[in-house]
């Protein structure tokens, strides 16, 4: 027990140590400054940009900055083209190489859901990877999207930061190229090698057929897992090579692999706040916002661990002993590591799981759903940082109205247009979660697929759409979600939850960048103070609770009271 809690402390200390190092490196990359990899990567980047028609032979960083319209179109067109390409690869996977198990294409609705899921950096899976997709589809299709979708989020986040700090948005294609060649690819290569040393397989050999001691035949799925696993975690994609994701011993065999994957999951989202501090030349505000997210993360971890430690009173009463909740946990990792992972994977919008979330106690379900609803601890790749500063801008406006001071952010006025766009970012998420949840729950027989009725069934439905809308691939595994309704409805939630906020935050950043910088006076609100940071945290909680408290009350809170009463 003590050792497990020590692991949580060590993990969080490593996170704190990583943030300034990686945050500073990412700032140098996107500011175009010199890095250690320039001698090797500059020629590669230059060739790629010339090939796609963005840069010139004399310009290593490629072309002129784009307008906000050009940037948005570049995001949408590139994602559409990549999604179409991946759809065709999977559809014709039977004719392509690296298909030792001779898999055919899945049905059109599961194929559409899979493509939308990975192109939006969600990684939500309604299929079983080892029995559905060929190695080529896993690597060349989904692996490709895991790099490009994560790079898309990073590029949008950096463009947003540039706009907030008065700079031009930049060039989307240049930012995506830099994100892949200088951040995602080098870290993925190093991480994949580390995972191979930890026992994660990396092979193109087909399914292994063995005879058990009982004389039966067993089929052991394998493949190029290590490389897939690392970009899945580093890019916060979350979709697993195997159906049970990082609970599978080939994806996550031991404590060392678990620690590497946990660090990969949280490294970039947490560090991007530090990158903002360098862009804005305001490290005080960056650290205040980092600690705001860190404290929220600690609270949710404490709630989850406490609930799992107390165990299920019905089970404990039957057995006559007191023990933690071990249902749905991998014993080789321990229940504490599963609780820690559950909070981190929903806080960072990764969505990977190393245990079954459906088996969490009500306190754990409350924490994971709350993480999805908040979306700022530290959120998805790039977009999570943008959501955080959107809340900060809304807080600045409201506090300015209350105290009668001029709402300015980094010297630029916050006016009606910024508030409208910020409201779109905040309000679109409840719409894509609550409306389809209400429709699904209205037809429990034909649509819901609930396998555990009652309060837990409500949590299953809401969690599915909350994860889809937040571009987080996790789910409560007891839900029967591989149906036409679930595949199409979650597609809409993933699509709207990804691209509508991206468009709004880019327009928001562009509008702020165009404003003249005003001179700060004694009545200008300071956003880099502890008091304002606390006010921002309060507004985030209030807005999330106003929208989602009813479903929390009908789901995990009611389930917790019912369980306590039954015991």
């Amino acid at each position: 027990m003590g050792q497990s809690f020590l692991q949580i402390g060590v993990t969080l200390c490593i996170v704190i140590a990583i943030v300034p190092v990686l945050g500073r490196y990412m700032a140098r990359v996107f500011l175009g400054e010199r890095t250690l990899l320039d001698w090797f990567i500059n020629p590669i980047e230059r060739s790629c940009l010339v090939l796609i028609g963005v840069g010139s032979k004399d310009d290593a960083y490629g072309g002129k900055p784009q307008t906000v319209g050009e940037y948005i179109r570049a995001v949408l067109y590139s994602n559409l083209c990549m999604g179409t390409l991946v759809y065709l690869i999977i559809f014709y996977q039977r004719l392509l190489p690296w298909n030792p198990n001779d898999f055919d294409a899945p049905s059109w609705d599961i194929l559409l859901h899979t493509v939308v899921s990975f192109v939006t950096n969600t990684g939500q899976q309604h299929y079983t990877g080892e029995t559905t997709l060929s190695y080529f589809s896993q690597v060349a299709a989904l692996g490709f999207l895991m790099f490009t979708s994560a790079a898309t989020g990073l590029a949008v986040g950096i463009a947003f930061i540039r706009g907030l700090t008065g700079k031009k948005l930049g060039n989307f294609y240049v930012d995506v190229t830099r994100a892949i060649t200088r951040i995602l690819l080098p870290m993925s290569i190093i991480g994949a090698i580390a995972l191979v040393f930890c026992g994660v397989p990396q092979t193109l050999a087909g399914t292994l057929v063995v005879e058990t001691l009982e004389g039966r035949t067993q089929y052991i799925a394998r493949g190029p897992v290590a490389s897939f696993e690392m970009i899945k975690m580093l890019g916060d994609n979350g979709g697993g090579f195997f159906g049970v994701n990082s609970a599978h011993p080939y994806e996550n065999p031991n404590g060392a692999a678990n620690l590497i994957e946990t660090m990969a999951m949280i490294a970039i989202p947490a560090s991007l706040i530090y990158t903002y501090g360098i862009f804005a030349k305001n490290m005080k505000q960056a650290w205040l916002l980092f600690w705001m997210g860190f404290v929220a993360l600690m609270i949710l971890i404490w709630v989850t661990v406490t609930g799992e430690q107390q165990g299920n009173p019905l089970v404990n009463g039957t057995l006559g002993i007191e023990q933690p909740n071990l249902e749905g946990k991998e014993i080789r990792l321990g229940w504490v590591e599963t609780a820690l992972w559950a909070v981190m994977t929903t806080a960072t919008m990764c969505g990977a799981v190393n245990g079954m979330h459906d088996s969490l106690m009500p306190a754990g379900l409350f924490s994971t759903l709350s993480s999805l609803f908040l979306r700022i601890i530290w959120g998805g790749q790039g977009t999570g940082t943008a959501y955080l500063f959107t809340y900060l801008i809304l807080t600045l406006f409201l506090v300015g109205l209350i105290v009668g001071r001029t709402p300015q952010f980094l010297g630029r006025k916050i006016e009606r247009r910024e508030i409208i766009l910020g409201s779109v970012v905040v309000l679109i998420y409840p719409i894509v979660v609550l409306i389809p949840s209400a429709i699904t729950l209205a037809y429990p027989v034909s649509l819901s697929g609930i396998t555990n009725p009652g309060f837990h069934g409500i949590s299953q439905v809401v969690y599915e759409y909350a994860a889809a809308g937040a571009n987080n691939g996790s789910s409560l595994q007891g839900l029967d979600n591989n149906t036409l309704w679930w595949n199409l409805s979650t597609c809409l939630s993933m699509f709207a939850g990804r691209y509508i906020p991206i468009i709004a935050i880019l327009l928001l950043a562009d509008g702020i960048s165009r404003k003249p910088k005003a001179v700060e006076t004694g009545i200008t609100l300071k956003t880099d103070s502890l008091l304002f940071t606390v006010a921002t945290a309060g507004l985030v909680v209030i807005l999330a609770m106003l929208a989602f408290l009813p479903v929390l009350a009908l789901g995990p809170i009611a389930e917790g009271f019912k369980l306590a009463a039954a015991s």
Side-chain angles (χ1 to χ4, degrees):
M1 177 71 69
Q3 182 180 3
S4 296
F5 283 106
L6 178 63
Q7 286 179 313
I8 291 181
V10 170
T11 301
L12 296 178
C13 287
I14 295 175
V15 171
I16 296 171
I18 286 175
V19 164
V21 178
L22 183 56
R24 189 177 298 111
Y25 173 73
M26 289 194 295
R28 295 183 67 86
V29 167
F30 290 109
L31 285 170
E33 298 177 356
R34 184 182 294 270
T35 65
L36 291 176
L37 299 176
D38 284 355
W39 64 274
F40 177 70
I41 292 181
N42 273 350
I44 299 175
E45 282 187 350
R46 186 180 296 113
S47 301
C48 291
L49 293 172
V50 170
L51 183 65
I52 62 177
V54 175
S56 65
K57 294 181 180 180
D58 299 322
D59 185 0
Y61 297 107
K64 63 180 181 179
Q66 295 173 314
T67 65
V68 65
E70 292 171 337
Y71 206 101
I72 291 172
R73 286 194 294 273
V75 172
L76 298 179
Y77 292 164
S78 64
N79 280 230
L80 176 62
C81 292
M82 291 184 294
T84 302
L85 173 63
V86 168
Y87 188 99
L88 293 174
I89 289 175
I90 299 176
F91 186 81
Y92 291 107
Q93 69 176 357
R94 191 181 186 88
L95 306 177
L96 296 173
W98 298 356
N99 189 5
N101 298 311
D102 202 28
F103 289 141
D104 206 345
S107 62
W108 72 270
D109 56 312
I110 192 65
L111 177 52
L112 177 65
H113 177 273
T114 302
V115 172
V116 172
S117 178
F118 280 87
V119 82
T120 58
N121 199 231
T122 305
Q124 188 179 67
Q125 294 171 293
H126 290 174
Y127 67 94
T128 303
E130 65 267 38
T131 60
T132 306
L133 299 180
S134 69
Y135 293 167
F136 191 83
S137 294
Q138 295 267 39
V139 175
L142 301 189
F144 164 72
L145 284 183
M146 288 197 288
F147 276 100
T148 57
S149 64
T152 296
L154 261 177
V156 169
I158 290 297
F160 182 78
I161 291 173
R162 288 195 188 110
L164 290 187
T165 54
K167 302 177 180 65
K168 294 182 179 180
L169 298 184
N171 188 292
F172 171 74
Y173 300 106
V174 175
D175 291 338
V176 166
T177 303
R178 288 183 188 174
I180 293 175
T181 59
R182 296 175 181 268
I183 298 172
L184 297 174
L185 189 57
M187 294 176 68
S188 294
I189 292 173
I190 295 171
I193 294 173
L195 290 180
V196 169
F197 278 104
C198 291
V200 179
Q202 181 73 13
T203 178
L204 294 178
T207 299
L208 183 64
V209 182
V210 298
E211 185 176 343
T212 66
L213 294 176
E214 294 89 356
R216 298 179 180 178
T217 301
Q218 183 174 355
Y219 300 90
I220 302 176
R222 51 186 176 171
V225 183
S227 57
F228 189 97
E229 184 73 9
M230 195 59 199
I231 185 56
K232 152 193 154 182
M233 303 307 299
L234 186 64
D236 282 341
N237 298 278
F241 194 94
F242 301 104
V244 293
N245 209 273
S246 294
H248 196 288
Y250 280 179
E251 288 197 30
N252 189 4
N254 48 50
N258 193 77
L259 178 61
I260 292 171
E261 293 173 22
T262 303
M263 290 299 99
M265 181 191 340
I266 203 169
I268 294 177
S271 302
L272 202 58
I273 297 177
Y274 192 95
T275 301
Y276 158 80
I278 295 177
F279 268 82
K281 297 182 175 61
N282 192 341
M283 295 309 305
K284 179 182 178 182
Q285 184 178 54
W287 278 116
L288 283 171
L289 292 173
F290 171 82
W291 289 117
M292 182 187 80
F294 189 85
V295 169
L297 180 70
M298 287 289 295
I299 292 172
L300 294 174
I301 290 173
W302 176 78
V303 170
T304 305
V305 170
T306 300
E308 298 303 303
Q309 183 181 15
Q310 292 175 350
N312 190 323
L314 298 180
V315 174
N316 291 346
T318 302
L319 298 177
I321 58 174
E322 294 294 327
Q323 66 174 9
N325 175 33
L326 300 180
E327 180 187 344
K329 310 297 189 300
E330 285 298 318
I331 302 302
R332 70 179 185 279
L333 303 176
W335 65 270
V336 173
E337 287 299 317
T338 301
L340 172 65
W341 183 297
V343 176
M344 282 194 170
T345 195
T346 48
T348 60
M349 301 308 145
C350 175
V353 296
N354 71 349
M356 298 300 102
H357 287 195
D358 198 47
S359 298
L360 291 172
M361 297 301 295
L365 288 179
F366 177 88
S367 295
T368 51
L369 279 169
S370 297
S371 297
L372 294 173
F373 297 156
L374 295 175
R375 296 181 299 156
I376 50 93
I377 325 170
W378 288 274
Q381 296 280 22
T383 54
T385 304
Y387 296 155
L388 174 59
F389 282 96
T390 301
Y391 277 112
L392 189 146
I393 289 170
L394 293 176
T395 304
L396 180 61
F397 182 77
L398 292 175
V399 172
L401 290 177
I402 293 172
V403 302
R405 293 193 178 184
T406 305
Q408 293 181 8
F409 185 69
L410 298 180
R412 293 172 176 82
K413 289 185 178 181
I414 303 301
E415 297 175 308
R416 178 172 174 267
R417 182 175 184 270
E418 288 72 45
I419 300 306
I420 292 175
L421 291 171
S423 299
V424 170
V425 174
V426 172
L427 294 177
I428 190 62
Y429 181 62
I431 291 174
V432 301
V433 173
L434 297 179
I435 291 179
S437 295
I439 295 172
T440 303
L441 290 170
Y443 298 92
V445 176
S446 56
L447 296 182
S448 71
I450 294 174
T451 58
N452 194 336
F455 302 123
H456 191 82
I458 295 175
S459 296
Q460 286 181 328
V461 171
V462 174
Y463 193 110
E464 188 77 7
Y465 288 112
N471 301 130
N472 177 285
S474 62
S475 65
L476 299 189
Q477 292 78 11
L479 187 68
D480 183 15
N481 53 15
N482 188 9
T483 64
L484 182 63
W485 165 255
W486 279 112
N487 289 333
L488 297 184
S489 62
T490 50
C491 272
L492 292 175
S493 292
M494 288 186 291
F495 192 87
R498 174 73 164 180
Y499 295 110
I500 293 177
I502 281 180
I503 293 171
I505 61 180
L506 286 173
L507 291 171
L508 173 60
D510 179 69
I512 292 177
S513 71
R514 294 174 180 274
K515 293 178 181 290
K517 191 169 184 179
V519 178
E520 292 191 5
T521 64
I523 63 171
T524 302
L525 276 171
K526 300 290 184 181
T527 60
D528 57 355
S529 66
L530 178 61
L531 180 61
F532 187 82
T533 304
V534 172
T536 302
L539 180 69
V540 172
V541 173
I542 289 172
L543 290 179
M545 290 301 102
L546 283 175
F548 295 107
L549 183 58
V551 295
L552 287 172
L554 292 172
I557 295 176
E559 185 180 359
F561 279 114
K562 180 181 179 181
L563 192 62
S567 62

